[in-house]
Amino acid sequence: MKLDFVLNNKRVSINVKGGLRLIDLLREQLDLVGTKEGCGKGECGACTVLLDGKPVCSCLILASQVRNREVTTIEGLSIEGEMHPAQEAFTETGAVQCGFCSPGLLLSTVALLNENPEPSREQIRRALSGNLCRCTGYEKIFEAVELASRRINGLSVQNDKV
Amino acid sequence: MILRCMKHDSKHKIVGSSVPRVDAFDKVSGRAKYAADYNAKGQLYGMVCYASHPHAKILNIDTGKAAKLPGVRAVLTHEDIPGEKSFGSVIPHQMALCSDKVRYSGDVVAIVAAESIEVAEQAIELIDVDYRQLDVVSDPKVALKDGAILIHDENNLCAYHKVRRGNIDEGFEKSDVILERDYSTSKIEHSYIEPEAVLAEPGENGGITITGSVQNLYSIRRAVARVLGLSLNRVRIIQATLGGSFGGKDETMSALCCRAGLLALATGKPVKMVNTREMSMRESYKRHSYQIHYKVGSTKCGILQAIESEIYADAGAYAAMSPFVTWRSAVHATGPYSIPNVKTDVYAAYTNNCYTGAMRGFGSPQICFAIESLIDELAEELNLDPLELRLKNILKDNSITATGQGLKHKVSLKEVLDNVTEKMGFVDKWKQNREQKRDTAFKRGIGISCSYRGISLGAEGTDAAGVIISIQTDGSVILSTGLIEMGQGAATTISMIVSEKLGITPDRIRFLSADTSRSPDSGPTVASRTTFMAGNAALRGCHELLERIKPVAAELLRCPEQDLLFENNSVYAPNKTSEGDRKIPFSELADKCFQKGISLFAHGWYKSPPTTWNEENGQGDAYFTYVYGANLAEVEVDCITGNVRVLKFISSHDPGQIVNLSGALGQVYGGVIMGIGYAMLENYAESEGNPLVANFDEYLLPTACDIPEIETTLIHNPDELGPLGAKSLGEPACEIAAPAIANAVFNATGMRIRHLPLTLERVKLGKELVRIDSRGSVKARGG
Ligand code: FES
Ligand code: FES
């Protein structure tokens, strides 16, 4: 069947099989392999993408569910080569180790910051609790989100790096 | 986050500072390519047929129906293996495809390559295997009894190690207090978020190239060459960006690479195989569960006299790294204490459970949990506080370890213990907590733990590594080594060491991922050996290069060689040359050398200092150096539900010299949280050889909501053997979290829990509850 939707700010029109998961549409048919599969069961959040700005597990969603809606993947986060402040912050604070969880965590972060540009630690924890990371122990990720938040809000960012 | 860094030095330009990871940009932009992101034109999809029983004789395998399914290109069994059917670094008995019997539920009897995953899955359903079920052995102690059902041809003993020091009977005679305790730990899944994946491509000359999520490329290459019947130079293993490993992508990947390789050679097509989480959990090896018995003797005033221990590790169906893992347990069994009389026996036994192998900590988290709980129990018995008893017995400079090794470096145990206890006012708090009312619902507790850890492989095996440094004519540098980046930050650390020595900024250094055909066999990336071994090898390579380029630079600057300073991508001779402070860009120097025909390529090779080991009595210089660490945990126990919340965690370590501060902290946080998962949540439960968990719905990992505030203090204590003084950090951080938490729970509730994890029911009821029905993803397994 034919599927129309907006992907990373571009219109896409593509033929898909019924029952196809969104993650497979992205990875296999559209070759956007930045979205990762860690569990296939909605438990790890590695496959998180934004659907109309809200984080969803692309392993739990059918491709057909994104009809006429907007999907953002990690590939769509940087605009014309310019990194999103969250991407920069993740790089600088050491929030990335193996990086397999990073695309999902970044999209959850962006969704959080869009909704709440100055989240508290507690709000950050809750917003990211659906994204498992086995490497970092989360601490540096929290710091990255806080740094990105300050940057987005144009606050001073001195002395915030170790 | 709070960090205190002791005695920070400024001797180094870059080493010791925080540098963003060299690979972070690719990772945050989604461009880093992990194994499952690789595709090849015309590729087929591989799938495995798992054993239907954990222990059974294979009577017949019928692949006829599967082979006839349209879209299926190959169905292979053990009969189609051109080389040996089994592989293994220590004992080569792990089956690529099972022939006579299956030994655990993750064993594979047949494999399929098809045009799509769906067809491959259907074909698997059509494979008929006749089994005769055998009794299942699931307890390592039972496995070692006379007359036990055999898993392999010989008895079920996979490994045995002992340590004997002094006279154990005399030690107990001299003791006023003797305590005997039993502890156990659960089996742990590595839980790298990236499941295993490979792409195998048939190459020229009948060889094969495999790109995959591989940790130890060379052992995997040996396995593939052996099973495919190829020489090593025709098997090329390339490491894709690795989505975590923690010791876990070794034998599991050997098996997957062998299978994909068999299918690729049989079909002449590229074959991609990607494990689902369920497959990964079912098949991949785990951290060993241990059953530990301790007997400890002490004088009234708390001087340890003797420790006797008997330790059983569940090796599961295959040996994998068990012999080495349990050897480390034997060496460390008595903890970081001076004990004159020691008797340690460690056994690893085959069972029909999932096999076990290397995982971050490598045989020490189990031991640390038990010995550090035991020391607290002894303190209680002696009416001492836990810190006092530790301080009376810890290893100091020139102490002799349980294996008879004199410690010739600076032993920083007291310092790390002081670091975690002083600021929190540990002893006072510990005493106050004991006065809490019996009926308060929420009780506070505080606990400590400490450890020493031999770094690198030690007497476990030959220990050498190489790094290739290649300066380009524009002054940029390419690094490659057989030790790998797996997320732990090795690429950045080694780049920084080279940067320090050659005066080239890290952005001008490119660290290539490992490739068996291009980089030297440097042994496994395990045992926290990477910084130490590859760092030292890199230093040697830099030294060699400097020897060659310095004369050229000196000539250009008209100064003696010893006045040269390499810094910030240039070389100059400050205040020394007639040319004033003229700086020559490194690029110019490199080009000049090239013009003169001077080689800008070096291979630094480093072999570790000697270690010794006597199998007969378990005495020797087991490791060439050690690192030290201490933890403190503060918890709040909800006495109504049994829920334990870790409020605060302090971790102090002695990594020698910190190379990348940000990376070092990342290792501590990640290690501590992995340790908290070990302490409170994780358990790869099995019943009669069948796994009871299949995905992260029931195998619980710590989330962003579960983690405490963590404070880290790193000690600056350069080791003369380490590269620029650096030792290691990744594993020590992980091994002592669990005992600190268990000790804190005791401090809060007065209840000693000797079995991990500290689940609600263990904390609330003091016992485990038995599950009757399968739930969650377990039902879905295989379906
Ligand atoms: S892959 Fe979708 S949540 Fe894990
Ligand atoms: S960085 Fe490896 S899982 Fe998060």
Side-chain angles (χ1 to χ4, degrees):
Chain A
M1 64 186 172
K2 195 153 147 294
L3 179 68
D4 291 290
F5 69 110
V6 176
L7 177 60
N8 297 332
N9 286 321
K10 289 202 195 76
R11 288 191 174 286
V12 175
S13 190
I14 191 167
N15 269 317
V16 299
K17 278 196 244 151
L20 183 76
R21 303 180 307 165
L22 177 58
I23 191 171
D24 297 325
L25 169 66
L26 295 170
R27 287 182 56 88
E28 308 299 329
Q29 269 180 267
L30 296 166
D31 210 24
L32 291 178
V33 292
T35 304
K36 303 299 179 207
E37 179 160 356
C39 72
K41 289 282 189 305
E43 299 290 339
C44 75
C47 65
T48 305
V49 299
L50 301 186
L51 182 56
D52 293 335
K54 294 261 176 323
V56 294
C57 292
S58 62
C59 72
L60 291 184
I61 289 211
L62 294 181
S64 57
Q65 287 173 274
V66 305
R67 174 160 300 155
N68 299 330
R69 297 171 75 181
E70 253 183 70
V71 174
T72 310
T73 68
I74 189 72
E75 290 88 351
L77 262 199
S78 35
I79 298 169
E80 289 174 5
E82 183 121 335
M83 284 208 281
H84 188 281
Q87 285 172 304
E88 275 175 9
F90 268 60
T91 310
E92 288 168 30
T93 54
V96 179
Q97 286 191 25
C98 82
F100 200 77
C101 66
S102 305
L105 268 157
L106 277 160
L107 288 157
S108 294
T109 299
V110 169
L112 167 70
L113 293 176
N114 282 344
E115 199 159 280
N116 175 4
E118 283 178 72
S120 66
R121 254 297 152 110
E122 213 32 58
Q123 288 167 326
I124 298 173
R125 281 173 186 264
R126 239 173 293 133
L128 302 185
S129 62
N131 293 84
L132 295 177
C133 173
R134 185 59 153 172
C135 301
T136 64
Y138 304 103
E139 175 67 34
K140 297 253 167 196
I141 295 173
F142 299 157
E143 285 169 33
V145 179
E146 284 161 358
L147 175 61
S149 151
R150 285 198 296 281
R151 291 239 171 101
I152 288 170
N153 297 309
L155 297 175
S156 141
V157 289
Q158 245 121 58
N159 301 328
D160 49 16
K161 275 182 263 165
V162 241
Chain B
M1 173 213 72
I2 307 161
L3 161 82
R4 289 178 297 147
C5 212
M6 315 299 281
K7 290 187 251 158
H8 200 79
D9 76 326
S10 52
K11 210 171 89 214
H12 303 298
K13 287 165 278 187
I14 168 158
V15 159
S17 61
S18 271
V19 167
R21 295 174 62 99
V22 294
D23 53 358
F25 180 72
D26 282 345
K27 288 176 174 176
V28 297
S29 57
R31 285 203 310 228
K33 270 182 106 174
Y34 297 81
D37 303 341
Y38 284 85
N39 290 297
K41 201 153 183 274
Q43 75 190 11
L44 303 172
Y45 297 84
M47 188 58 70
V48 299
C49 177
Y50 282 119
S52 311
H53 310 284
H55 200 195
K57 267 230 139 344
I58 299 172
L59 304 177
N60 183 42
I61 308 173
D62 180 358
T63 58
K65 273 184 272 168
K68 286 198 203 89
L69 189 72
V72 170
R73 298 291 191 85
V75 186
L76 307 181
T77 68
H78 67 96
E79 288 177 357
D80 305 301
I81 293 179
E84 301 282 335
K85 293 176 187 184
S86 63
F87 64 89
S89 304
V90 188
I91 305 175
H93 64 183
Q94 187 174 341
M95 303 302 288
L97 296 172
C98 293
S99 52
D100 58 331
K101 66 189 252 187
V102 291
R103 296 176 176 85
Y104 85 111
S105 81
D107 258 337
V108 167
V109 289
I111 45 178
V112 168
E115 284 156 19
S116 72
I117 298 175
E118 293 74 28
V119 173
E121 279 171 348
Q122 279 169 27
I124 294 296
E125 295 295 309
L126 296 176
I127 297 172
D128 274 328
V129 187
D130 287 340
Y131 293 100
R132 181 161 57 79
Q133 288 195 52
L134 301 169
D135 286 345
V136 169
V137 185
S138 58
D139 183 321
K141 280 189 182 166
V142 174
L144 293 179
K145 293 229 165 85
D146 283 345
I149 307 279
L150 294 185
I151 315 288
H152 295 277
D153 293 339
E154 283 168 40
N155 67 36
N156 291 331
L157 183 65
C158 167
Y160 167 64
H161 306 286
K162 67 177 170 191
V163 172
R164 297 287 184 271
R165 178 170 155 77
N167 182 322
I168 195 74
D169 296 326
E170 277 174 24
F172 286 121
E173 269 160 37
K174 280 194 217 138
S175 304
D176 304 310
V177 173
I178 294 176
L179 217 60
E180 286 196 62
R181 292 290 183 266
D182 288 292
Y183 302 91
S184 70
T185 65
S186 54
K187 209 172 233 188
I188 298 293
E189 161 63 38
H190 300 77
S191 306
Y192 28 75
I193 306 295
E194 175 204 32
E196 306 81 3
V198 291
L199 176 65
E201 297 171 88
E204 291 145 23
N205 316 321
I208 188 126
T209 299
I210 300 179
T211 308
S213 54
V214 290
Q215 178 177 340
N216 296 332
L217 288 79
Y218 298 92
S219 59
I220 292 170
R221 180 177 66 162
R222 274 190 288 276
V224 173
R226 179 182 155 102
V227 171
L228 269 52
L230 296 171
S231 56
L232 290 176
N233 64 357
R234 283 159 77 196
V235 178
R236 181 174 176 197
I237 310 284
I238 302 173
Q239 186 212 355
T241 301
L242 199 48
S245 180
F246 316 109
K249 286 172 176 166
D250 194 354
E251 287 85 357
T252 305
M253 288 309 302
S254 292
L256 192 61
C257 289
C258 286
R259 290 164 193 157
L262 287 168
L263 289 170
L265 287 194
T267 58
K269 293 274 181 194
V271 172
K272 182 168 175 171
M273 294 181 87
V274 181
N275 278 351
T276 61
R277 178 59 56 184
E278 284 81 4
M279 293 161 80
S280 172
M281 283 234 181
R282 175 174 186 165
E283 188 185 334
S284 73
Y285 58 91
K286 307 288 183 274
R287 185 195 297 293
H288 300 71
S289 54
Y290 272 36
Q291 298 176 39
I292 305 171
H293 179 81
Y294 271 117
K295 181 173 170 190
V296 59
S298 160
T299 62
K300 276 201 291 293
C301 50
I303 305 299
L304 295 176
Q305 295 301 316
I307 293 189
E308 182 177 345
S309 59
E310 201 173 281
I311 298 170
Y312 292 87
D314 182 0
Y318 297 110
M321 285 290 152
S322 288
F324 292 160
V325 169
T326 47
W327 179 76
R328 181 175 279 274
S329 308
V331 173
H332 292 84
T334 47
Y337 305 103
S338 289
I339 298 149
N341 305 294
V342 173
K343 177 172 182 271
T344 303
D345 295 281
V346 183
Y347 304 85
Y350 296 121
T351 66
N352 295 116
N353 296 327
C354 186
Y355 72 121
T356 44
M359 181 174 177
R360 189 186 205 170
F362 208 81
S364 64
Q366 298 93 333
I367 294 299
C368 289
F369 166 68
I371 185 80
E372 286 301 285
S373 299
L374 179 76
I375 293 297
D376 259 45
E377 293 205 55
L378 181 65
E380 189 69 22
E381 200 71 24
L382 293 167
N383 248 322
L384 294 173
D385 73 65
L387 181 61
E388 203 180 347
L389 179 59
R390 282 184 173 79
L391 291 177
K392 283 183 184 208
N393 294 285
I394 48 171
L395 296 168
K396 303 184 180 72
D397 294 1
N398 300 314
S399 288
I400 312 283
T401 67
T403 69
Q405 179 173 7
L407 298 174
K408 298 186 193 88
H409 51 269
K410 163 116 195 52
V411 176
S412 53
L413 259 172
K414 171 147 186 348
E415 215 172 333
V416 286
L417 272 169
D418 286 347
N419 282 342
V420 301
T421 51
E422 269 170 12
K423 219 180 113 216
M424 284 292 282
F426 169 75
V427 177
D428 290 342
K429 262 203 171 162
W430 180 83
K431 284 186 180 145
Q432 273 164 28
N433 289 337
R434 295 161 69 90
E435 320 272 274
Q436 291 172 96
K437 286 211 206 70
R438 282 186 122 247
D439 51 357
T440 357
F442 290 92
K443 289 191 176 145
R444 288 276 174 115
I446 194 164
I448 51 171
S449 59
C450 58
S451 75
Y452 80 130
R453 179 179 183 87
I455 81 162
S456 203
L457 300 177
E460 281 170 59
T462 331
D463 207 353
V467 172
I468 294 171
I469 306 174
S470 170
I471 301 177
Q472 310 300 300
T473 51
D474 64 355
S476 64
V477 169
I478 296 175
L479 287 184
S480 58
T481 165
L483 295 174
I484 60 140
E485 171 61 56
M486 52 181 166
Q488 88 282 39
T492 314
T493 312
I494 299 166
S495 298
M496 283 175 80
I497 290 174
V498 171
S499 163
E500 182 75 39
K501 275 291 150 200
L502 297 182
I504 297 169
T505 50
D507 58 306
R508 303 277 292 159
I509 299 175
R510 174 125 181 76
F511 184 95
L512 298 185
S513 26
D515 173 338
T516 53
S517 295
R518 301 240 161 106
S519 23
D521 188 342
S522 299
T525 306
V526 295
S528 298
R529 66 191 283 267
T530 307
T531 303
F532 190 92
M533 298 300 294
N536 271 321
L539 282 183
R540 298 202 167 179
C542 289
H543 183 76
E544 207 177 290
L545 284 167
L546 285 170
E547 291 291 292
R548 284 188 232 138
I549 63 175
K550 269 185 173 171
V552 182
E555 195 186 317
L556 285 172
L557 287 164
R558 292 193 205 135
C559 71
E561 282 178 32
Q562 65 267 26
D563 289 348
L564 293 170
L565 201 65
F566 287 81
E567 212 175 67
N568 249 328
N569 304 319
S570 57
V571 54
Y572 65 118
N575 314 319
K576 292 277 171 62
T577 148
S578 54
E579 305 271 311
D581 275 357
R582 183 162 85 93
K583 290 194 176 174
I584 301 180
F586 197 77
S587 52
E588 195 183 316
L589 175 60
D591 193 50
K592 194 84 195 168
C593 292
F594 183 72
Q595 302 297 346
K596 286 177 171 267
I598 291 169
S599 164
L600 292 170
F601 177 97
H603 175 209
W605 186 255
Y606 178 75
K607 188 171 173 307
S608 70
T611 49
T612 56
W613 189 250
N614 179 345
E615 285 287 340
E616 286 310 304
N617 57 7
Q619 294 289 294
D621 292 351
Y623 296 90
F624 47 80
T625 191
Y626 293 80
V627 292
Y628 304 90
N631 277 179
L632 174 145
E634 191 175 23
V635 302
E636 184 181 74
V637 181
D638 178 342
C639 297
I640 301 190
T641 62
N643 186 39
V644 175
R645 208 153 67 88
V646 182
L647 304 173
K648 172 133 186 122
F649 210 92
I650 306 185
S651 192
S652 184
H653 294 277
D654 169 8
Q657 160 75 47
I658 299 159
V659 180
N660 183 6
L661 180 56
S662 155
L665 290 174
Q667 284 296 308
V668 175
Y669 297 139
V672 165
I673 300 309
M674 194 176 270
I676 289 181
Y678 188 48
M680 322 230 310
L681 298 168
E682 299 177 38
N683 180 16
Y684 184 79
E686 294 165 300
S687 161
E688 288 299 299
N690 291 306
L692 298 177
V693 288
N695 204 322
F696 294 137
D697 57 342
E698 298 218 49
Y699 188 87
L700 300 179
L701 298 179
T703 73
C705 285
D706 299 317
I707 68 159
E709 185 191 327
I710 302 173
E711 186 174 324
T712 307
T713 311
L714 299 176
I715 288 179
H716 181 69
N717 178 20
D719 191 284
E720 57 170 10
L721 297 172
L724 309 174
K727 293 195 274 193
S728 77
L729 189 56
E731 298 188 277
C734 170
E735 66 191 16
I736 41 177
I741 294 172
N743 289 340
V745 168
F746 176 80
N747 182 230
T749 63
M751 191 158 81
R752 175 58 60 179
I753 303 174
R754 301 191 180 90
H755 311 284
L756 290 180
L758 307 180
T759 52
L760 300 181
E761 52 272 29
R762 282 198 176 123
V763 175
K764 171 74 188 162
L765 307 171
K767 63 173 188 190
E768 226 177 325
L769 296 176
V770 186
R771 164 190 293 191
I772 299 160
D773 288 322
S774 59
R775 299 181 304 221
S777 56
V778 178
K779 270 188 232 155
R781 186 160 55 78

